[in-house]
């Protein structure tokens, strides 16, 4: 039940007075700060969840509230919740006492009813709705960027991460705990991917370590393999290919012999890492492995999500593997396939493919064209993409150039 003077009633009333739908209000909130969804507003207005401090600036700006008004509304909601909780507890206890006395025919010993209620709560777990919501959140977030910048994706995930941390601290039955650990692994892995793409290597490693811990607790080896395969990409893309090869090999062992998106990812990253350290025979074998695995995937394993291994992702990995192997003919073919399959407005993917093409031009003996192409690609990037993964790929090419081409690309990256 929404409290009469609480945050839910206040936000809903102001929105209705302004004659706006939740969808319109969500757009105004997004324009004022972090990405806000209709679901955010609905949960706040029904007081199923309270807005966290990160939303305060946007709420004040869009709803025209002062700090004092916002604090008062939140205090009213919290006080109402405490009163409702206390009232419900008292009613439950009175009903239990009455029923027990009528059934047994004698007085109930003090504290027995409360003890049973606590035991029952511990056995039943808490927050089944939150568990279902988090499972849905993982499914929703795993779809990829879809044209959004990494910072925007992290903003959308912020509240779900706070809820996940809260729910993990509660007791749950073994089955629910296993499912929750798997969801925690998936969501943590998605955050790690975004941090990797943003160039925050240290935080990406931390999030992947958390995801691996959760995956191991869940007992889901496929999830563990996916987390490790993605983790290996941090070292691969930021100058530690030997570390990447080691983690990717571990991911392949976890994935087992059965074809899966996780197994294909691990083989693809392993191929790229081995090529980067100069193990040409090993890289070639890994490329053959990933081709074989990719041909056997269908259904969710081949879905175009961060969790699947679709044909487009396969072509992107092959582009980088063949580029590192110096096999420019195969690399150009993979780049053409990747671009043909990249139908979404993926700024980062298109930029990375172009950087691979520039690297191939250098291998083919035209360093000037390589530098010009890389510089042009980087110059056209929106600000949100001018650091992190694309910058790292451009820097790799820069280190392999010399003379005027090297200076041209250095000036573009400055």
């Amino acid at each position: 039940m929404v409290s009469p003077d609480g945050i839910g009633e206040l936000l809903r009333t102001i929105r209705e007075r302004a004659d706006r739908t939740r969808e319109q209000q969500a757009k105004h909130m997004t324009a004022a700060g972090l990405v806000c969804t209709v679901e955010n507003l609905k949960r706040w207005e029904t007081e199923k969840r309270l807005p966290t401090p990160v939303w305060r600036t946007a709420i004040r700006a869009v709803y025209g509230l002062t700090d004092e008004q916002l604090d008062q509304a939140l205090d009213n909601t919290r006080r109402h919740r405490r009163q409702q909780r206390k009232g419900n507890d008292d009613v439950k206890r009175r009903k239990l006492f009455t029923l027990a006395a009528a059934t047994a025919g004698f007085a109930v010993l003090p504290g027995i009813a409360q003890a049973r209620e606590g035991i029952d709560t511990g056995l039943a777990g808490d927050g089944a709705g939150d568990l279902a919501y988090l499972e849905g959140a993982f499914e929703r977030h795993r779809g990829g960027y879809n044209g959004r910048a990494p910072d925007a994706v992290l903003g959308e995930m912020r509240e779900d991460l706070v809820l996940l941390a809260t729910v993990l601290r509660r007791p749950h039955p073994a089955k629910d705990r296993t499912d929750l650990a798997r969801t925690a692994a998936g969501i943590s892995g998605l955050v790690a991917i975004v941090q990797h793409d943003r160039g925050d290597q240290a935080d990406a490693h931390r999030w992947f370590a958390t995801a691996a811990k959760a995956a191991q607790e869940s007992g889901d080896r496929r999830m563990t393999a996916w987390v490790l395969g993605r983790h290996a990409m941090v070292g691969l893309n930021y100058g530690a290919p030997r570390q990447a090869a080691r983690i990717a090999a571990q991911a392949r062992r976890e994935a087992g012999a059965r074809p899966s998106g996780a197994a294909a990812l691990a083989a693809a990253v392993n191929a790229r890492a081995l090529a980067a350290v100069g193990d040409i025979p090993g890289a070639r074998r890994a490329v053959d492995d990933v081709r074989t695995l990719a041909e056997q995937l269908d259904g969710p394993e081949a879905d175009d999500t961060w969790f699947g291994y679709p044909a487009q992702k396969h072509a992107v990995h092959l582009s980088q593997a063949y580029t590192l192997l110096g096999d420019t003919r195969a690399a150009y073919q993979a780049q053409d396939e990747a671009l043909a399959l990249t139908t979404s407005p993926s700024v980062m993917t298109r930029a990375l493919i172009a950087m691979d093409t520039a690297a191939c031009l250098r291998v083919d003996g035209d360093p000037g064209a390589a530098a010009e192409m890389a510089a042009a690609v980087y110059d056209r990037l929106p600000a949100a993409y001018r650091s992190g993964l694309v910058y790292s790929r451009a820097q790799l090419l820069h280190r392999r150039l010399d003379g005027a081409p090297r200076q041209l690309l250095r000036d573009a990256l400055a």
Side-chain angles (χ1 to χ4, degrees), residues 22 73 84 102 124 127 173 176 224 288 290 306 322:
R22 281 198 184 112
Q84 290 291 110
D176 287 350
T224 302
D288 290 341
V290 72
W306 272 329
Y322 284 128

Side-chain angles (χ1 to χ4, degrees), residues 73-116:
L74 289 168
D75 287 343
N76 290 341
T77 295
R78 294 187 185 101
R79 184 163 51 252
H80 180 75
R81 283 182 167 184
R82 286 193 295 271
Q83 291 170 348
Q84 290 291 110
R85 190 158 52 242
K86 183 177 184 301
N88 289 340
D89 288 346
D90 289 344
V91 170
K92 287 178 183 177
R93 290 190 184 98
R94 286 197 297 272
K95 286 182 178 179
L96 184 62
F97 292 156
T98 303
L99 178 62
T103 303
F106 53 82
V108 179
L109 292 173
I112 293 295
Q114 294 94 321
R116 188 217 57 84

Side-chain angles (χ1 to χ4, degrees), residues 37-184:
T37 65
V38 172
E39 286 73 21
N40 285 133
L41 294 180
K42 186 175 181 180
R43 288 194 293 270
W44 297 341
E45 290 182 5
T46 57
E47 295 185 2
K48 290 183 178 177
R49 197 174 313 163
L50 301 187
T52 55
V54 73
W55 295 98
R56 292 182 69 97
T57 300
I59 289 174
R60 288 200 311 270
V62 173
Y63 287 87
L65 296 171
T66 65
D67 275 328
E68 291 74 16
Q69 289 172 317
L70 188 54
D71 287 338
Q72 184 61 59
L74 289 168
D75 287 343
N76 290 341
T77 295
R78 294 187 185 101
R79 184 163 51 252
H80 180 75
R81 283 182 167 184
R82 286 193 295 271
Q83 291 170 348
Q84 290 291 110
R85 190 158 52 242
K86 183 177 184 301
N88 289 340
D89 288 346
D90 289 344
V91 170
K92 287 178 183 177
R93 290 190 184 98
R94 286 197 297 272
K95 286 182 178 179
L96 184 62
F97 292 156
T98 303
L99 178 62
T103 303
F106 53 82
V108 179
L109 292 173
I112 293 295
Q114 294 94 321
R116 188 217 57 84
E117 186 177 358
I119 294 169
D120 185 67
T121 299
L123 291 172
D126 185 21
D130 286 339
L131 295 178
Y133 170 80
L134 287 169
E135 183 180 1
F138 173 41
E139 184 174 352
R140 185 169 64 253
H141 294 312
R142 67 196 275 181
Y145 288 116
N146 293 316
R148 299 167 298 169
D151 287 354
V153 173
L154 280 183
E156 291 181 9
M157 297 180 72
R158 189 184 301 270
E159 283 207 341
D160 294 337
L161 295 172
V162 173
L163 176 62
L164 176 60
T166 301
V167 173
L168 280 167
R169 289 193 292 268
R170 301 173 188 164
H172 300 281
K175 173 63 168 63
D176 287 350
R177 178 69 189 188
T178 297
D179 292 342
L180 178 60
R182 184 181 184 280
T183 298

Side-chain angles (χ1 to χ4, degrees), residues 279-340:
D279 183 353
I280 305 305
R284 291 282 184 186
R285 287 193 297 272
V287 166
D288 290 341
D289 289 345
V290 72
R291 283 188 174 279
T292 300
L293 287 165
E295 289 171 357
Q296 300 177 69
L297 300 181
D298 56 17
E301 300 296 333
D303 281 351
D304 188 10
T305 68
W306 272 329
F307 209 72
Y309 192 82
Q312 182 264 1
K313 188 179 295 183
H314 179 54
V316 171
H317 280 291
L318 288 182
S319 167
Q320 173 68 177
Y322 284 128
T323 298
L324 292 170
L325 283 167
D327 187 345
T328 58
R329 182 177 179 180
Y332 288 138
Q333 181 180 345
Q335 289 153 25
D336 289 342
E337 291 176 3
L339 288 172

